Amino acid sequence: LTPTINEQILEILMKLWSKPSINEKIIKCGIAQTGFSKQIETQKSKTNIEFVQGEDIYPYFVSSSNKYYPLHLISREKLKDFVQRKIMIPGLVTNLYCGYDEKGRACGRVYYITESESPYNLFYLCGLFNSSLFQFDVCCYHSVWYENKKEFFILKRGKRHCH
């Protein structure tokens, strides 16, 4: 970190602060109804769409899954989102990471941000979410969630390492 702020650094900070923030409304969740996994098919057809779950998402990419979900079970709004390029974040993780979906896949209990709704370039967000800076923040957040507020205070003061 820079101990002093000169005019060049101030200019960069002002540009960053003036950018739109990520509104929580653009972060959406895939198909998460009880029993959705019973509907997954293994054969591609004209009546289904490729489907991924958290286990198919890796930092920076989403792998093909050979799983498919029936189109008639997906709302029009979700289908419109699913066919777009997007970043996908697994729903249950201890370290934040995301993959970039360029194929337009449906997803299960996975969070996503579509290209059309993001105020930022998805590659930028992917790099940011996969950075070590975000790993630390999420790890500390989980420490707060599973432990207590006193522990959070200790973490913020840097007296304990976050794993």
Side-chain angles (χ1 to χ4, degrees):
L1 296 174
T2 307
T4 58
I5 298 176
N6 60 29
E7 286 188 36
Q8 292 172 326
I9 293 171
L10 181 60
E11 185 178 333
I12 292 168
L13 289 173
M14 294 303 286
K15 285 181 183 178
L16 288 172
W17 290 330
S18 68
K19 292 277 187 180
S21 62
I22 296 177
N23 183 322
E24 63 187 39
K25 292 178 183 175
I26 71 165
I27 303 172
K28 299 178 182 177
C29 185
I31 300 166
Q33 295 97 340
T34 303
F36 78 90
S37 59
K38 294 176 186 172
Q39 304 297 327
I40 295 173
E41 301 171 353
T42 56
Q43 297 292 317
K44 177 151 180 60
S45 72
K46 291 181 180 181
T47 61
N48 61 27
I49 184 172
E50 188 175 349
F51 183 80
V52 296
Q53 293 174 285
E55 65 213 31
D56 305 310
I57 301 170
Y58 298 91
Y60 301 102
F61 74 96
V62 178
S63 69
S64 292
S65 67
N66 295 321
K67 294 179 265 186
Y68 303 90
Y69 202 79
L71 291 170
H72 73 276
L73 297 176
I74 303 172
S75 70
R76 286 184 183 177
E77 181 182 309
K78 279 226 188 285
L79 189 58
K80 182 182 169 192
D81 287 345
F82 288 161
V83 298
Q84 292 185 58
R85 290 185 206 106
K86 61 191 152 300
I87 56 171
M88 294 181 166
I89 305 160
L92 298 172
V93 293
T94 54
N95 291 315
L96 180 65
Y97 62 91
C98 70
Y100 179 74
D101 173 32
E102 62 185 16
K103 293 185 177 181
R105 301 170 176 115
C107 55
R109 287 187 181 101
V110 169
Y111 297 100
Y112 63 90
I113 300 173
T114 61
E115 187 173 54
S116 66
E117 293 190 37
S118 176
Y120 295 100
N121 179 296
L122 292 182
F123 294 118
Y124 169 78
L125 289 179
C126 202
L128 192 61
F129 289 164
N130 289 312
S131 72
S132 59
L133 173 67
F134 267 61
Q135 300 308 315
F136 178 79
D137 286 343
V138 171
C139 184
C140 287
Y141 171 77
H142 279 281
S143 294
V144 173
W145 186 260
Y146 294 116
E147 295 176 16
N148 58 40
K149 293 196 185 289
K150 194 179 286 183
E151 183 68 21
F152 177 63
F153 184 75
I154 292 169
L155 283 170
K156 289 300 251 183
R157 297 179 105 196
K159 293 184 178 177
R160 178 170 172 213
H161 293 289
C162 197
H163 300 286

